[in-house]
Amino acid sequence: MSYCAILGKKKMRGNNVSHANNKTKRDFLGNIHVLTTKNPLIGKFRLKVSAHGMRTIEKKGGIINFLITSKKRNLTEECQRYKKRIIKSMEKAEQKASASTSS
């Protein structure tokens, strides 16, 4: 089942309604795309994101900035894992930079 990893949007259920008012069940699928991002800190990762989610990411200044600035409770489990990896790798990079400048 595909859903937006950023916003948590899933498919919706509804009816096709004919001219004769016959109703048959159907699914409304979201506009989901695969977003692949390459970051020097954590490498390459992929997310399934809706078109609305992509606009949100661009507004926040990219996927890394979006994940860092978002609250944990507003993110899906998948995004929470990526956020944790990003923060850990940023802390390691800061420790490495501070160790090289003090030496």
Side-chain angles (χ1 to χ4, degrees):
M1 183 164 124
S2 63
Y3 68 97
C4 178
I6 301 298
L7 303 174
K9 286 187 173 189
K10 298 179 183 177
K11 71 177 179 180
M12 296 190 315
R13 305 271 306 176
N15 291 316
N16 277 337
V17 182
S18 68
H19 185 69
N21 206 25
N22 297 329
K23 295 174 183 76
T24 57
K25 291 289 183 187
R26 64 161 290 187
D27 293 332
F28 293 95
L29 301 176
N31 191 4
I32 304 292
H33 302 276
V34 176
L35 175 69
T36 304
T37 304
K38 199 171 192 181
N39 187 328
L41 295 174
I42 62 169
K44 184 177 173 181
F45 64 95
R46 301 168 79 135
L47 290 172
K48 288 184 178 180
V49 182
S50 66
H52 181 67
M54 285 186 179
R55 288 196 304 273
T56 304
I57 290 169
E58 290 302 315
K59 181 180 177 183
K60 299 283 184 167
I63 185 71
I64 304 301
N65 202 27
F66 171 79
L67 291 174
I68 291 171
T69 58
S70 296
K71 293 180 181 178
K72 187 178 178 181
R73 68 174 180 252
N74 295 339
L75 297 173
T76 60
E77 290 179 26
E78 187 178 10
C79 288
Q80 287 176 12
R81 285 193 307 262
Y82 284 129
K83 179 177 181 170
K84 199 174 191 179
R85 280 177 53 192
I86 290 167
I87 291 172
K88 277 185 180 180
S89 61
M90 289 175 78
E91 289 171 354
K92 283 183 183 179
E94 286 177 12
Q95 288 175 355
K96 200 175 191 180
S98 64
S100 65
T101 57
S102 64
S103 297

